[in-house]
Amino acid sequence: MAQRDTNGLGGEGQSLRQSALPCATNLPDHEAELRAALTGRVLLLRYQPIIRLRNGHTAALEGLVRWPRQEALLQAGAFVPLAEKLGLALDLAHAVLDRVAHDWQQMPSPKGGLAVNMPLSVLLLPEMPALLAATLRRHGARRGPLLLELTETEAIRDPTRLRRVMLRLKRLGIPVLLDDVTLGDHRWRLAGLPFAGVKLDRSLVEALPRQMRARHFLRRILSDSHAKGRYVIAEGVSNSLLQRTTRGLGVDFAQGYLLGQPEPPQQNRGGQTRLSPARRGGRAP
């Protein structure tokens, strides 16, 4: 999950603007409309590049879901909580994966693949491996994997079950990343979970220049992740200070408005490198 969107979408033009749901506090009013959007295949994905900090090369793209509504593009935060509250999380996953399969045909697929968010409750559903495998078959020839970002909305209460699911997905060629790691969040320390990478939440990244505690915490994540062959991605890199800080501390990859806007699939360039594990011993790739 990329940083909270406040800027206009690159390449969108003026006819569609980003906005919040006008009546987000009155969620039932939008239930029928959201259900229709999910079944009618109207949701869109806008893709933001994930950049290797060492050389600025594009390694992957993250798909950020948008709902075109009343001449606006609603951000995920405006309607995803409603979908989950209504028990539509699986329907939303279906809609997103359907759009991924469609978009993959329109873009130079990056070597590092395409990443999408996935809540824990949906990832653990028995039908998900088959749904994901079908998505891979439908998007045709590819140069990179489909990556899933495990969101922070639910606590990991059964690591053993999650590990079985992740290993099954790994056999399908679908890596899982741990998303939205905040300061003091120790999900990354759960033993035996084969995450391919860890994504740092925007709040943690923004604290790095001014908080020694945040830098110490990041160094622990980097040491543990690199020792296990995982890469680390910083979200919310929106200015040059955050770019210099994350690169100087040894973070492998980053995304944010400084590095690339979320854009329609046909406006994204192909990947120049891969999301690859860091070298052992704490050295960035």
Side-chain angles (χ1 to χ4, degrees):
M1 179 182 294
Q3 74 276 14
R4 296 165 186 85
D5 299 280
T6 55
N7 295 14
L9 291 176
E12 281 300 320
Q14 299 301 315
S15 60
L16 289 176
R17 68 187 188 281
Q18 280 191 199
S19 70
L21 200 60
C23 304
T25 55
N26 195 9
L27 298 182
D29 289 351
H30 304 287
E31 177 178 352
E33 192 176 354
L34 179 56
R35 288 183 183 276
L38 293 176
T39 58
R41 297 184 175 183
V42 301
L43 296 186
L44 303 174
L45 289 181
R46 292 298 178 254
Y47 294 91
Q48 186 173 43
I50 298 174
I51 304 298
R52 189 185 290 275
L53 280 167
R54 186 184 66 185
N55 54 23
H57 291 172
T58 301
L61 301 173
E62 180 182 0
L64 306 174
V65 64
R66 299 288 184 261
W67 178 11
R69 183 178 180 274
Q70 298 177 2
E71 297 186 351
L73 279 182
L74 299 189
Q75 304 169 23
F79 62 91
V80 170
L82 171 59
E84 294 178 345
K85 183 175 182 179
L86 296 173
L88 298 175
L90 179 58
D91 300 81
L92 178 59
H94 271 277
V96 168
L97 293 172
D98 182 72
R99 176 54 59 173
V100 165
H102 174 272
D103 289 350
W104 223 314
Q105 307 296 333
Q106 303 181 49
M107 60 199 304
S109 179
K111 297 177 182 178
L114 301 179
V116 293
N117 293 325
M118 190 68 61
L120 179 62
S121 59
V122 174
L123 186 65
L124 294 178
L125 292 173
E127 59 265 45
M128 280 310 296
L131 175 60
L132 291 163
T135 300
L136 296 181
R137 288 194 300 270
R138 283 168 40 229
H139 76 57
R142 60 194 171 98
R143 285 176 278 164
L146 174 68
L147 302 110
L148 303 181
E149 298 186 8
L150 182 63
T151 60
E152 84 291 1
T153 53
E154 302 164 74
I156 300 174
R157 304 187 187 281
D158 190 347
T160 302
R161 182 184 176 192
L162 177 58
R163 182 177 184 274
R164 288 197 299 267
V165 171
M166 292 175 66
L167 290 176
R168 185 176 178 186
L169 293 175
K170 187 176 181 179
R171 290 192 292 270
L172 292 173
I174 303 174
V176 178
L177 313 181
L178 181 62
D179 197 12
D180 302 314
V181 173
T182 58
L183 184 59
D185 180 354
H186 292 289
R187 290 175 299 153
W188 57 275
R189 297 182 63 181
L190 289 173
L193 291 180
F195 290 110
V198 174
K199 297 194 75 176
L200 309 176
D201 187 76
R202 177 182 182 176
S203 61
L204 173 55
V205 172
E206 291 181 340
L208 293 173
R210 64 180 188 275
Q211 288 188 26
M212 182 67 71
R213 177 170 169 249
R215 294 193 292 275
H216 282 319
F217 184 66
L218 173 57
R219 290 188 181 103
R220 291 167 59 194
I221 293 176
L222 288 167
S223 177
D224 179 84
S225 298
H226 289 171
K228 293 176 179 175
R230 298 172 180 163
Y231 43 83
V232 177
I233 303 171
E235 294 185 319
V237 176
S238 56
N239 58 61
S240 57
L241 174 60
L242 295 179
Q243 183 181 22
R244 291 195 305 270
T245 301
T246 51
R247 182 172 56 201
L249 288 169
V251 176
D252 308 312
F253 302 92
Q255 68 184 103
Y257 284 112
L258 177 71
L259 306 172
Q261 297 279 337
E263 294 181 329
Q266 63 272 19
Q267 295 185 20
N268 280 281
R269 60 180 178 173
Q272 303 154 293
T273 186
R274 293 180 181 273
L275 284 173
S276 55
R279 298 191 186 110
R280 293 187 180 275
R283 296 177 59 195

